[in-house]
């Protein structure tokens, strides 16, 4: 069973690489958000607890998240391995996770802050179809207009610079300490840690990740 944890700031390219790794090794890509939504839709006991917390506007606590992870990894599709993305989010969650699941490999995608801001703030979305463009990397044929419907594109509020910089600040405060946690002598005995330069072309980053995993 191969357990991979992918770390990186918002916009570092985790989603793109996670999708490829999941397909390549035929293992499920487990994101915190997807797991929460799955439990709610199943209306399991855990899901009802999650629904209650979310409807009250609260945050799902670490203990409940570990219960959800434990429930998810017991399913048949995880028997050969899994890829974690978006959990753990902090040292406390990592310590709790370590009690129920051994992470074999941690890969962190390193991208400079200004590049993250550029990647996210440049996104433009056609809401109805979900098509995503980027003003620099994947521009529409006509500025601010969907290629197919010709309808206007949206610059989502959570893609605007002040929001992005706030998300990065939270990441630095809460999630970056995970990098130190997984490099402690205790964790290094059972978990391999790798840092990958995420500033390069997507295919180059993928090739390096594959070389690590093999």
């Amino acid at each position: 069973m191969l357990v991979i944890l992918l770390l990186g700031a918002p916009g570092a390219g985790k989603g793109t690489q996670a999708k490829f790794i999941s397909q390549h090794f035929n293992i499920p890509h487990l994101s915190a958000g997807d797991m929460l939504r799955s439990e709610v839709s199943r209306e399991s006991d855990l899901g009802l607890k999650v629904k209650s917390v979310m409807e009250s506007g609260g945050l799902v606590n670490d203990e409940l998240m570990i219960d959800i992870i434990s429930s998810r990894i017991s399913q048949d599709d995880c028997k050969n391995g899994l890829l974690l993305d978006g959990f753990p989010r902090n040292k406390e969650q990592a310590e709790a996770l370590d009690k129920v699941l051994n992470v074999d490999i941690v890969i962190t995608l390193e991208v400079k802050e200004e590049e993250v801001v550029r990647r996210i703030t440049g996104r433009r979305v056609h809401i109805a179809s979900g098509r995503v463009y980027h003003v620099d990397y994947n521009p529409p044929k006509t500025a601010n207009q969907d290629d197919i419907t010709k309808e206007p594109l949206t610059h989502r509020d959570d893609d605007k610079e002040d929001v992005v910089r706030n998300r990065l600040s939270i990441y630095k405060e809460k999630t970056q300490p995970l990098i130190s946690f997984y490099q402690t002598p205790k964790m290094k005995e059972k978990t391999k840690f790798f840092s990958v330069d995420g500033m390069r072309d997507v295919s180059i980053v993928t090739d390096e990740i594959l070389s690590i995993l093999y």
Side-chain angles (χ1 to χ4, degrees), residues 4-207:
I4 306 164
L5 170 60
L6 206 55
L7 296 177
K14 295 192 304 299
T16 299
Q17 297 300 334
K19 182 178 180 182
F20 182 84
I21 295 166
S22 174
Q23 292 174 344
H24 187 85
F25 289 97
N26 195 28
I27 57 175
H29 169 206
L30 307 186
S31 76
D34 287 346
M35 284 186 285
L36 289 172
R37 286 186 288 272
S38 174
E39 290 294 337
V40 170
S41 66
R42 287 171 56 206
E43 297 187 333
S44 64
D45 289 343
L46 280 173
L48 293 174
K49 290 180 183 178
V50 171
K51 186 177 181 181
S52 175
V53 171
M54 294 173 74
E55 286 180 345
S56 67
L59 293 174
V60 176
N61 62 38
D62 294 352
E63 183 179 354
L64 187 51
M65 275 303 308
I66 289 296
D67 286 344
I68 289 169
I69 290 275
S70 299
S71 171
R72 182 64 184 87
I73 65 178
S74 68
Q75 296 177 25
D76 287 345
D77 64 339
C78 292
K79 63 183 179 182
N80 294 323
L82 54 97
L83 171 65
L84 285 169
D85 170 20
F87 187 89
R89 290 185 182 276
N90 54 51
K91 181 183 174 183
E92 291 73 26
Q93 289 181 353
E95 290 172 338
L97 177 66
D98 186 51
K99 294 176 183 177
V100 299
L101 181 70
N102 181 60
V103 176
D104 298 297
I105 297 175
V106 176
I107 298 173
T108 179
L109 295 177
E110 299 289 348
V111 177
K112 293 178 181 178
E113 182 170 331
E114 290 309 310
E115 174 62 16
V116 167
V117 172
R118 185 181 179 189
R119 288 181 182 183
I120 299 179
T121 58
R123 289 176 186 161
R124 299 295 184 270
V125 181
H126 181 244
I127 299 296
S129 68
R131 282 185 288 275
V132 179
Y133 300 86
H134 192 283
V135 295
D136 295 317
Y137 307 127
N138 180 35
K141 294 173 183 175
T142 302
N144 206 38
Q145 182 176 291
D146 181 55
D147 288 348
I148 297 174
T149 66
K150 310 305 179 186
E151 294 170 342
L153 301 176
T154 299
H155 189 198
R156 298 184 311 191
D157 287 343
D158 57 349
D159 286 345
K160 293 180 179 175
E161 185 169 345
D162 57 337
V163 177
V164 173
R165 291 196 184 277
N166 184 56
R167 289 168 63 195
L168 285 170
S169 177
I170 293 171
Y171 172 78
K172 288 178 184 176
E173 178 186 352
K174 300 291 186 181
T175 308
Q176 273 195 333
L178 284 175
I179 294 172
S180 298
F181 171 77
Y182 281 110
Q183 293 183 87
T184 59
K186 173 188 172 184
M187 296 307 296
K188 285 174 74 173
E189 290 178 2
K190 51 188 175 181
T191 302
K192 295 179 180 178
F193 179 90
F194 299 90
S195 177
V196 173
D197 179 2
M199 296 285 289
R200 299 167 298 170
D201 184 81
V202 170
S203 61
I204 295 174
V205 174
T206 300
D207 286 345

